[in-house]
Amino acid sequence: MIYDGAVSAGTIFNSGHALFAIIIGALIILWILIGITNLGKVNIAAMTGLLLLTIILCVVIFRNGTPENAGTAMSFGAAVELSASMPLSWLPVIGDYTRDAREPIKASLVSTIVYGLVSMWMFTIGMGASIYAGTSDIAEICVRAGIGIAGLLIIIFSTVTTTFLDALSAGISAQSICKGLNSKWAAVAASIIGTIGAILFNMDDITGFLYLIGSVFAPMVAVMIGTYFFLKRDAEHQTFDWMNLVIWLIGFILYRLLMHTDFVIGYTLPDMLITMLLTVLAGKLFPKSISTERIVR
């Protein structure tokens, strides 16, 4: 995400992406150091500005553009898969971000609804950009529309406010593995590593990575749903379950195999349903699976 934001910002000003990667990385670290509890007014200002700028971008695309050939279309199933990968990968992030909410059910519900509505809006902008502007490059669209500075602000702040959550979650995950780590400084370290990676490596095509995300998180979420909602097992009071790990691995392999078949509904849903069924069946047949250590969250 740092790479994409830096490349887009660099395109607007016809410069390399390294400088903007450093700027975005520094802002992400600043967001982390300020902390979630102190980000109230800062986040409100950033989100309000992003909302207004995105409305402007949306109006520019659909009012001034003319329909053009959008290029070769992917299959509906492939589009479903790429659309499903990001929300699935965000589940742990949202869990880390809302874990201290006073009303977790309401916080999760609001997160889901807002994420869904805004995602549909963003997909609409992307589709409109491809059809009316003849390109899906947001930086090129901003340059053509004459909103270079506004476009730059959209790119940088949307990257910072989103990737900040990724880095924060990385810090929390690191702390859950190594109890002695400070989650905030682990998040800062993750941001630094991400910034260096964005400068050194080419990440123009991340389609394969999105499919990898889907193959990892789809069976993981299925195991979680089967264990918590159907087997009624609370992870906070259960020991580490090797059976669930094996089922996740089966789900992972199944996803990679299903990738070779183009289903109209994609392969995330079939993979999740099969993995969930295996989780419930294994839980019923082997209620006392092999366990090693207690999970502490």
Side-chain angles (χ1 to χ4, degrees):
M1 295 183 73
I2 295 173
Y3 176 85
D4 283 342
V7 169
S8 297
T11 300
I12 291 177
F13 285 93
N14 195 27
S15 63
H17 74 284
L19 174 61
F20 285 104
I22 294 173
I23 292 173
I24 291 172
L27 287 173
I28 292 170
I29 292 174
L30 177 62
W31 246 247
I32 293 171
L33 295 178
I34 291 175
I36 292 179
T37 55
N38 300 319
L39 271 176
K41 293 182 179 180
V42 176
N43 253 354
I44 289 174
M47 291 298 102
T48 302
L50 276 176
L51 175 62
L52 294 175
L53 291 170
T54 305
I55 291 174
I56 293 172
L57 178 63
C58 194
V59 170
V60 167
I61 289 173
F62 287 97
R63 187 181 64 182
N64 299 334
T66 55
E68 299 182 22
N69 185 354
T72 304
M74 66 175 65
S75 68
F76 184 80
V80 169
E81 284 312 301
L82 294 179
S83 301
S85 296
M86 292 307 293
L88 282 174
S89 69
W90 270 84
L91 280 175
V93 178
I94 294 299
D96 290 333
Y97 193 57
T98 61
R99 61 180 183 158
D100 296 323
R102 294 179 181 176
E103 299 182 78
I105 294 179
K106 291 182 179 180
S108 300
L109 179 62
V110 170
S111 297
T112 302
I113 293 174
V114 173
Y115 187 97
L117 292 175
V118 174
S119 292
M120 286 188 284
W121 185 20
M122 295 301 107
F123 284 134
T124 302
I125 290 178
M127 179 184 67
S130 295
I131 295 175
Y132 287 93
T135 178
S136 58
D137 188 335
I138 191 67
E140 186 176 342
I141 294 169
C142 292
V143 171
R144 287 186 187 179
I147 53 172
I149 298 298
L152 177 66
L153 293 176
I154 292 174
I155 291 167
I156 289 182
F157 279 104
S158 62
T159 303
V160 170
T161 55
T162 304
T163 313
F164 148 74
L165 299 178
D166 296 332
L168 182 69
S169 183
I172 294 173
S173 297
Q175 187 182 48
S176 68
I177 297 172
C178 303
K179 302 302 177 185
L181 289 178
N182 181 293
S183 62
K184 178 178 289 189
W185 291 109
V188 170
S191 302
I192 294 173
I193 294 172
T195 301
I196 294 173
I199 295 173
L200 297 180
F201 302 108
N202 186 301
M203 306 177 194
D204 287 337
D205 185 3
I206 62 168
T207 303
F209 179 66
L210 289 177
Y211 284 130
L212 177 62
I213 286 177
S215 62
V216 170
F217 283 97
M220 184 203 76
V221 173
V223 170
M224 179 188 71
I225 292 174
T227 301
Y228 186 85
F229 290 101
F230 289 93
L231 298 177
K232 307 298 183 182
R233 296 177 183 173
D234 190 340
E236 291 185 357
H237 306 294
Q238 294 293 322
T239 51
F240 183 74
D241 198 328
W242 282 100
M243 183 64 69
N244 279 351
L245 182 60
V246 171
I247 294 172
W248 168 83
L249 181 59
I250 293 173
F252 174 84
I253 295 173
L254 177 63
Y255 185 103
R256 305 303 295 187
L257 293 175
L258 290 174
M259 285 178 60
H260 300 288
T261 304
D262 187 14
F263 294 105
V264 67
I265 59 172
Y267 22 88
T268 292
L269 182 58
D271 180 77
M272 290 186 66
L273 290 175
I274 294 172
T275 305
M276 195 186 312
L277 179 61
L278 290 175
T279 302
V280 175
L281 289 176
K284 298 292 185 182
L285 294 175
F286 308 101
K288 295 183 179 180
S289 58
I290 303 174
S291 55
T292 56
E293 59 179 316
R294 184 168 300 278
I295 295 178
V296 179
R297 290 288 295 183

